[in-house]
Structures are given as C-alpha cells and as structure tokens.
Amino acid sequence: MTLLERSSKELQEGLHKGEFKLVDLINETYQRIEEVDGDVQAFLALNKEKALEEAKEKDQVPPNERGPLFGLPIGIKDNIVTEGLETTCASKILKGFIPIYDATVIKKIKEAGMIIVGKLNMDEFAMGSSTETSYYKKTKNPWDLERVPGGSSGGSAASVAAGEVPFALGTDTGGSIRQPAAFCGVVGMKPTYGRVSRFGAVAFASSLDQIGPITRNVYDNALLLEVIAGVDPNDSTSADVPVPNYVSKLDGNIQGLRIAVPKEFLGEGVGESVRQSVLDALEVFKSLGATVEEVSLPHSKYALATYYILSSSEASSNLARYDGIRYGFRAEGVKNLMDLYKQTRAQGFGDEVKRRIMLGTYSLSAGTYDAYYKKAQQVRTLIKQDYDKVFEDYDVIVGPTTPSPAFKLGEKIDDPLTMYANDILTIPINLAGVPAISIPCGFDNGLPLGLQIIGKHFDEETVYRAAYAFEQATDFHKQTPGLGGK
Amino acid sequence: MTKLTKEEVKHVAHLARLALTDEEVEKFTEQLGAITEYVQTLNELDTTNVEPTSHVLPIVNVMREDVAEKGLDLEKVLLNVKEHENGLVKVPPILEEE
C-alpha cells in the first residue's frame, strides 16, 4: 500500500513508528502528481518547494505536540485565497493574482499543521457542474478519463480520487462539493450555512456559498471539518455555535435513526442505476437499526429556477469588483475608463460567467426585480419550510446526490439548462442552508455513484454518524480507480 | 415577463459592463431567453404574503467593539496593481478625448 492510500490514522501511526518521515510523504505526494496529473489535470499550481521545506521543519516537532492532521498534505480549490500562492478561480481575469492574506480556513489548517500541496482546478468562479468552464484546463474523471469529474470543485474531488492528496478543500454553492464527490467516488461535505467562515473564499453567491472538506473516508472528513469550522470575526455570517468533536461520536451505531426519503428525489429524471443504489443503501440502513419512511418535499421542482435567479443575482453583484483596476487582468489599448471596464470584463470572463452576470443583472434590474429576484426569495422560503417540516419528525433525509453518474466531456457544455439540471438534487439543500454529505454507494459500469445524507441545521454530527455507519457496513469507499498502473 | 429581446440583452450587458460582439448578443439572447422562459415555472406558485428569504440564519446584527486595528501595508496592497505611482492606482482617462 502506498502512503497515499492510507487514512490519516494510518499515516500518523506510520510516522509515529518512524516507518517514514513527513518529507517522504510530501515527496511521494509530488511523485504521484507527476505520475498521474498529466492525465487527470487536477492541479493549477503547485507549492512544492515550500511544502518540502515545511515538511523538513515539521519532522523536528516531537510526536506529543502533533495533532491528528499534523503534517498531512492537502489540496486547495483555487477560489480560496492563499497568501503568496497564485489564486485564479480558474478565470483569466485573475491570472497571476497573488493573495496578500490567507483565508480563515487556510489559517486554521496551517495551525493544525497541514501542508498545502497546491491549488486545484474548478469551474470558472465555481460556476459550472463539470469543471469544463475553467479557463486553464479540463480536469478528467480518474475513473474514466473521457468523463468529467463534476464541478465546480472538480479538481478537488479528482485529486483525492486519483490518490494525489488525501485531503482537499472545496466550496459548494449548489452542489459543487457533493456532485464532484459523487462522480469521483469520494466523500464530500457541505456544512450548514454559517458553520465555516467564508472569509477568503472568493464570493460567488454569498447567501449560499460554504467551504467544506473532500476526503477518501468519512472519519478524515469529520476530522477536517472540525478544524475549519467555527465562528470568525471576519465573517459576520459565520455562526457562534459550538463545534462538536465529530470523530468521537463515530461508533457505527445508528439504532433508531429516523430516515426520511423524499419521493421527489427518486422520481422523474433520476436514472435506474442511481435509484437502485439508493434503495440498496436504504436496506443497509434498515439492517443497522434505522427506520426508513417516505416523505414529500413538494417544492423541490422549483429549486432549480429559484437557485439560478438568486445565485446569479448575488454573483452579478459580487463579480462587479473585477474591473481591471486594482488587481487581475486589464485589457490593453482602451479609449477611456468605461471602455477599460467593458473590455477587461469581456476578455477576462468566460461565457458561463457572463451568462450568469447578465441573468443576475436582469433579475435585479428595475421592472423585473419583483417578478424575478423577490419571487425567487419567496419560493426559497417555501423550499426551506419543506425541510423544516420534515426535520420535525426525522433525523436525516437520504437520497441520491446526482441523477446520473459522470457524463462525457463536452456532452452538456453547450446547453446551459441541461447542465444545470444535473444539480437538481443538491441545489435545494443550499437554499435551505442545511448540511449534506455525499458518500460512495455503488457503481454503474465502473462509474461511482453517490448517496446524499442531509441533516438539520448545525447537525453535521448526525450526518457523519449515519455516513460512517454506512461506510463501515459497505466497501465502496475502498475501491480506487486504476490510474498510473495501479 | 416575455422572452428577452436583443435590445434588453444589450442593455443588461451595458449595466454589467460587458462588451458584447453582435454574434454574442445573438447567442446570449437565445440562451438567456431559454433560461428566463424556464424560470417562469415559479409563477405556478402563489406567493402572496410569503416572506422573502435573503438569508437562512436568524442573524440580524453582528456587533463588535469599535476598536481601530492596523490595516494592510501599502506595499502589500499595491502588490497586484498593474500601474501605480506614489501609492496611487493609475487608470486611463475618464473622459474621452475629442
């Protein structure tokens, strides 16, 4: 077994026994990247020199001063700012941008002793479901290089699935952690809105965005969330709610857990292999002592339209800052300041970003505001109430993460609405603001499928407990794609 | 609400400070038209008296002590600026030359 196939526990054991040093671990990480990233193309920037230097320093730290994540390698989605390390949001408009401070989550993982390996590819400004809208490269799904890794955190999920890093951070506005986690057969958590500080996460839709962990197993995921969670004076929307010690609650016991299965999540548009894998998963939960009942989330079918209005409106405002003045790309040969703005943005943004900026601007403009933006906010209330109501009687909601396994590169890129429809099962969760995880639950012709477990506000603990129990009872998470001769 | 026109797309692009070619106007009018048509499904719902949700958390005001803290160093702030002089950011002329 290579170092990179080990869990955090196994890695710390090996380090503790002196089997290998952190320098060996980080060296092997970059060797693996060299070996497979030509195919996978998950990374946009590497932090090699600094990472190796840090590993050498950290090797001197005595074992009793090390926490469970100390010295372990992590990849960061390229919309989370890292001081001194280029951060582009996979957009031309931020080419060469060097952040002058660390995001709060970056500060926190550094305090925990983690070593940043590099920055990971994504859909431009996190707008997309396939990582194909990146200005720089197309990341491939490690299970089938002709298919997309999902998005927008496609680089994060693919790098973990490919064994390049055991940990990655992603962001999720409408499914951008969970959908790629499902497509790549890894574990991805979108925490409750407010659980993790958004300070330093480049804003897409501020009322929906959350940072979360992507890992190969549930235990490591919980470990990382515990590190990055918590209130932050730099983010007034981060919640002052105590962060539990998640991993201490992972005992595999879910006797009496009340599971709700929304009929809308297994209905029209959901593929047969996906439906079957969820039904099988429900049998596993029952055998572990959980109860399973069908419920209804009647406003589910309105979530997609609501999301595209709200997220695009917020994006049109958030992305107004890219004007070519203080940082990033600036168009040449312009006549005046207005021309500079228009040309910089025309040349700096890709089509999907432009579409959403225009949709958002339209939704917010005089004459359409009430019919679009306000209407969508009202429907958001109805969607949220659906979830509140179900959670009066149940502990978690379970369903598929995506309607189908990973699709082929190029298959949906020219048809925005078909691409958007891929997120119908993840989007409502962001609108309701509740936490949800995607874990591996099966395969369709060698392509991974994801199970989504949704919890109450700030109850990531129960979500992790359910996910862990399922993982212990199955072995989907132990399978790896056959990359680089493995 | 009716299907978007080319003129509306041009207007929105101007508000959003995006220069579009004629070809792009054509393409975006079609694509945005399909999206705005799709979102009309929300009109099936009666939302009279439904409060809008802008934010899921019950947070209203977040206050802190009004204590001045040191800001970022000028050198850092200017790190990503393409053109600057004496600590000021340079931009092209604001008024078009005749």
Side-chain angles (χ1 to χ4, degrees):
Chain A
M1 186 159 65
T2 66
L3 298 182
L4 294 164
E5 284 174 337
R6 302 190 192 197
S7 68
S8 64
K9 259 191 205 163
E10 291 163 339
L11 287 169
Q12 295 296 0
E13 269 166 29
L15 287 161
H16 193 72
K17 285 187 203 148
E19 265 178 58
F20 55 90
K21 286 179 173 296
L22 287 173
V23 170
D24 304 322
L25 177 62
I26 300 303
N27 264 321
E28 189 174 317
T29 302
Y30 285 105
Q31 270 163 27
R32 177 71 180 165
I33 291 170
E34 192 149 307
E35 196 178 291
V36 301
D37 212 55
D39 283 336
V40 178
Q41 305 211 45
F43 280 92
L44 288 176
L46 295 176
N47 190 35
K48 190 171 177 179
E49 212 173 295
K50 231 170 146 200
L52 283 166
E53 216 172 276
E54 279 177 44
K56 258 180 229 160
E57 278 169 30
K58 288 186 197 300
D59 269 326
Q60 309 306 316
V61 175
N64 60 352
E65 288 172 27
R66 298 179 176 198
L69 293 174
F70 186 88
L72 303 188
I74 183 167
I76 309 294
K77 187 176 181 181
D78 207 33
N79 61 348
I80 301 175
V81 298
T82 41
E83 186 173 356
L85 184 57
E86 187 179 357
T87 300
T88 67
C89 292
S91 180
K92 182 183 174 186
I93 214 158
L94 280 174
K95 193 169 189 199
F97 176 71
I98 307 292
I100 55 177
Y101 59 86
D102 275 333
T104 298
V105 292
I106 300 298
K107 266 191 200 148
K108 287 182 172 225
I109 60 170
K110 283 183 176 172
E111 279 161 19
M114 297 192 88
I115 296 176
I116 293 171
V117 171
K119 302 302 288 282
L120 292 159
N121 198 23
M122 55 186 280
D123 280 298
E124 185 180 3
F125 283 103
M127 296 174 188
S129 310
S130 64
T131 310
E132 290 169 290
T133 70
S134 166
Y135 171 69
Y136 299 98
K137 49 169 76 168
K138 299 222 187 316
T139 301
K140 313 297 188 306
N141 191 314
W143 295 86
D144 178 349
L145 297 173
E146 287 180 5
R147 288 177 191 267
V148 301
S152 68
S153 310
S156 301
S159 66
V160 172
E164 296 174 299
V165 280
F167 293 91
L169 287 181
T171 61
D172 190 316
T173 305
S176 283
I177 287 174
R178 291 159 288 154
Q179 185 254 20
F183 279 9
C184 292
V186 294
V187 178
M189 171 65 117
K190 183 207 86 78
T192 309
Y193 182 80
R195 180 53 104 185
V196 178
S197 167
R198 293 183 294 109
F199 181 71
V202 178
F204 162 12
S206 307
S207 81
L208 302 162
D209 298 342
Q210 266 292 286
I211 299 171
I214 296 178
T215 58
R216 280 204 287 277
N217 63 68
V218 173
Y219 185 96
D220 285 353
N221 202 283
L223 213 50
L224 182 52
L225 178 61
E226 210 175 303
V227 166
I228 61 171
V231 67
D232 175 15
N234 282 331
D235 175 6
S236 60
T237 63
S238 66
D240 195 3
V241 176
V243 181
N245 179 350
Y246 297 119
V247 292
S248 70
K249 311 287 171 36
L250 302 179
D251 55 9
N253 179 10
I254 53 162
Q255 190 71 38
L257 185 81
R258 296 167 304 169
I259 296 177
V261 182
K263 62 177 182 202
E264 291 83 3
F265 279 28
L266 291 171
E268 203 190 326
V270 174
E272 193 43 44
S273 63
V274 171
R275 191 195 324 268
Q276 195 52 52
S277 73
V278 172
L279 295 177
D280 293 346
L282 293 172
E283 290 307 313
V284 173
F285 280 119
K286 281 188 209 164
S287 74
L288 294 168
T291 61
V292 175
E293 281 173 9
E294 190 181 273
V295 297
S296 176
L297 297 164
H299 296 97
S300 296
K301 71 167 176 166
Y302 301 104
L304 193 61
T306 304
Y307 172 83
Y308 275 96
I309 293 175
L310 295 181
S311 65
S312 301
S313 297
E314 294 185 27
S316 72
S317 163
N318 278 326
L319 272 63
R321 73 190 64 172
Y322 304 102
D323 57 6
I325 304 291
R326 287 150 301 158
Y327 50 83
F329 170 78
R330 181 188 276 199
E332 306 276 341
V334 296
K335 294 189 295 238
N336 54 35
L337 193 59
M338 179 60 99
D339 199 30
L340 173 75
Y341 294 148
K342 286 191 174 180
Q343 287 302 334
T344 295
R345 290 163 66 80
Q347 294 168 35
F349 290 135
D351 276 3
E352 182 60 25
V353 174
K354 286 178 190 171
R355 266 194 294 274
R356 298 209 200 189
I357 288 175
M358 286 191 283
L359 177 64
T361 305
Y362 181 69
S363 304
L364 291 172
S365 53
T368 43
Y369 179 91
D370 279 353
Y372 281 76
Y373 186 65
K374 191 179 167 206
K375 180 81 184 181
Q377 283 193 320
Q378 288 174 312
V379 179
R380 183 176 185 182
T381 304
L382 299 176
I383 291 166
K384 183 175 177 288
Q385 285 169 352
D386 282 355
Y387 282 79
D388 291 344
K389 197 154 172 284
V390 168
F391 280 128
E392 283 173 16
D393 299 313
Y394 298 90
D395 301 308
V396 290
I397 297 172
V398 170
T401 308
T402 59
S404 69
F407 46 89
K408 293 217 160 133
L409 283 138
E411 196 180 315
K412 302 188 178 184
I413 195 71
D414 293 324
D415 184 355
L417 276 175
T418 313
M419 184 71 93
Y420 297 173
N422 193 58
D423 299 329
I424 45 169
L425 299 164
T426 47
I427 274 173
I429 284 80
N430 298 73
L431 292 170
V434 292
I437 200 168
S438 179
I439 55 172
C441 74
F443 291 90
D444 175 355
N445 289 313
L447 298 171
L449 300 172
L451 185 74
Q452 188 172 212
I453 306 173
I454 306 155
K456 298 174 187 174
H457 281 115
F458 298 105
D459 192 15
E460 286 85 0
E461 183 180 317
T462 304
V463 173
Y464 277 133
R465 281 183 46 233
Y468 184 77
F470 180 82
E471 189 187 74
Q472 295 304 299
T474 55
D475 61 3
F476 303 115
H477 67 292
K478 290 182 186 155
Q479 307 200 30
T480 51
L483 269 176
K486 272 198 334 195
Chain B
M1 292 187 280
T2 47
K3 220 173 156 141
L4 278 179
T5 63
K6 278 191 217 170
E7 287 315 307
E8 280 176 307
V9 168
K10 281 184 193 168
H11 176 61
V12 164
H14 169 70
L15 292 176
R17 302 294 184 258
L18 287 167
L20 296 186
T21 62
D22 291 346
E23 232 168 58
E24 284 175 318
V25 170
E26 199 87 30
K27 179 176 71 180
F28 286 131
T29 302
E30 194 184 315
Q31 290 174 337
L32 291 170
I35 297 168
T36 51
E37 203 167 86
Y38 170 72
V39 302
Q40 303 303 324
T41 51
L42 298 188
N43 290 328
E44 293 168 13
L45 291 170
D46 180 7
T47 51
T48 323
N49 298 325
V50 176
E51 281 294 313
T53 296
S54 61
H55 211 272
V56 290
L57 296 179
I59 296 173
V60 185
N61 282 324
V62 180
M63 312 295 258
R64 61 167 172 78
E65 290 299 313
D66 187 16
V67 183
E69 281 178 43
K70 196 178 170 298
L72 293 159
D73 294 335
L74 187 62
E75 199 182 311
K76 271 192 170 185
V77 172
L78 293 173
L79 184 72
N80 288 288
V81 179
K82 286 264 184 309
E83 276 186 273
H84 57 87
E85 204 176 296
N86 302 326
L88 300 171
V89 179
K90 280 176 87 169
V91 298
I94 291 169
L95 299 171
E96 205 162 345
E97 283 168 44
E98 292 302 317

